[in-house]
Amino acid sequence: MQTMNSTTSQLLTETYASLCPILINYIYRRINDYESARDMAQDVFLRLMDYKHMLREETVRSMIFSIAHNLVIDYLRRYYRKQEMSAYFYEYGATVNDETESNVIANDILALEKFKLYQLSPQRRIVYLMNRFQNKTVSEISEELSLSRRTVENHLQTGRNEVREFIRQCI
């Protein structure tokens, strides 16, 4: 039993010394990351130690490259899955950020609009408020305020122009 362990250990040592640089190159060509290739080559030999009882000089090389092949495939699966998730989070995050940024900008513009609204004449302010925030039509406003339709349209148009110009200057 002792001779088998020492023979296996010697086989592993010799194989490591002779195949490790070749194995690192093999892995590196597939994953294009030298440090990860070195780590994976170490992992190959660690996994090979799990199969000590099956190691033979004739089969050790093929086992090493089979293990390396499987590790490379696992690595690439994880890598591409991570890339997909990163792309998804980037897209989703950009959407969330754009929404948040849009909400902030909209709130700022609304604050500017309300600030300018209180600088309008009282009649113009009432007409603008009723149209903009209460969604009332010109006809409804003219009936409610007992003003002519044309007067309401003029107040509304002038108020919109003043607010628009003020916001344009602020931006």
Side-chain angles (χ1 to χ4, degrees), residues 16 20 23-25 27-28 31 33-45:
Y16 180 82
C20 192
L23 185 61
I24 291 172
N25 258 348
I27 296 170
Y28 173 71
I31 66 170
D33 181 3
Y34 189 76
E35 291 304 315
S36 294
R38 288 182 58 199
D39 291 342
M40 288 174 66
Q42 293 292 322
D43 290 343
V44 167
F45 284 98

Side-chain angles (χ1 to χ4, degrees), residues 82-93:
K82 183 178 175 184
Q83 292 298 324
E84 286 176 16
M85 294 302 288
S86 296
Y88 173 76
F89 285 128
Y90 177 76
E91 278 182 36
Y92 181 71

Side-chain angles (χ1 to χ4, degrees), residues 120-137:
L120 298 176
S121 67
Q123 190 70 42
R124 192 165 290 153
R125 181 181 329 127
I126 292 169
V127 170
Y128 188 91
L129 281 169
M130 291 175 82
N131 179 264
R132 171 80 166 93
F133 296 105
Q134 296 174 6
N135 295 322
K136 292 188 177 183
T137 64

